[in-house]
Amino acid sequence: GSCLPDRSQIDLTRVKMNLVVDYIHENISNLSFLHQVAIGTKIPERTIRRLIQNKYQESPKQYLNKLRLNEVRKELLLDKSNSNICQIANHFNFWHRSQFTKDYKKLFGELPSKTI
């Protein structure tokens, strides 16, 4: 017997990963927690955690956070009316302004106000 996973196992993993990523992208403004993804995709949380960890070398929490920060950045770049940064951040479930600002600066190297 081979110690490599068989082809059907690899295909199933790929299908699950695609389901997870698609679900996350389609629902990004409503997601804060991994269990929401588990419920939405009917894939166990442990499996999702393993899939994301293996593919992106980061925790699901870090992965979701990075995606949400990217969405905020897109909105800020599109938003010429200079609407409230807080409103945009809140739209993507960032409720703690100081933590949001810190995470944003760490990822993009600038403050949200600079992006605008």
Side-chain angles (χ1 to χ4, degrees):
S2 163
C3 43
L4 293 173
D6 67 30
R7 183 115 185 97
S8 62
Q9 201 55 47
I10 293 168
D11 289 343
L12 187 61
T13 298
R14 189 176 299 125
V15 166
K16 284 181 183 170
M17 189 66 211
N18 289 341
L19 272 173
V20 166
V21 170
D22 288 348
Y23 184 84
I24 290 171
H25 281 276
E26 287 163 18
N27 298 282
I28 194 68
S29 66
N30 304 315
L31 292 176
S32 306
F33 303 103
L34 191 58
H35 72 264
Q36 294 170 289
V37 180
I39 292 165
T41 59
K42 296 178 178 50
I43 296 172
E45 218 171 301
R46 264 183 59 211
T47 304
I48 295 170
R49 185 167 277 115
R50 194 186 69 243
L51 288 169
I52 290 175
Q53 193 72 52
N54 290 346
K55 183 161 176 136
Y56 300 108
Q57 281 72 58
E58 57 190 4
S59 73
K61 185 177 169 54
Q62 292 168 312
Y63 174 70
L64 280 174
N65 216 24
K66 196 182 286 180
L67 284 178
R68 289 169 38 229
L69 286 166
N70 273 293
E71 290 300 316
V72 170
R73 184 173 175 82
K74 274 189 234 164
E75 292 288 320
L76 292 176
L77 289 168
L78 285 174
D79 186 38
K80 299 303 174 213
S81 66
N82 209 347
S83 82
N84 193 338
I85 292 169
C86 278
Q87 281 180 313
I88 293 171
N90 291 351
H91 180 72
F92 292 100
N93 288 325
F94 289 104
W95 303 104
H96 303 287
R97 181 150 191 178
S98 59
Q99 187 61 52
F100 160 72
T101 304
K102 200 174 103 184
D103 291 348
Y104 189 96
K105 188 173 198 303
K106 187 176 171 198
L107 186 59
F108 301 114
E110 66 184 21
L111 294 170
S113 54
K114 267 274 185 263
T115 301
I116 291 178

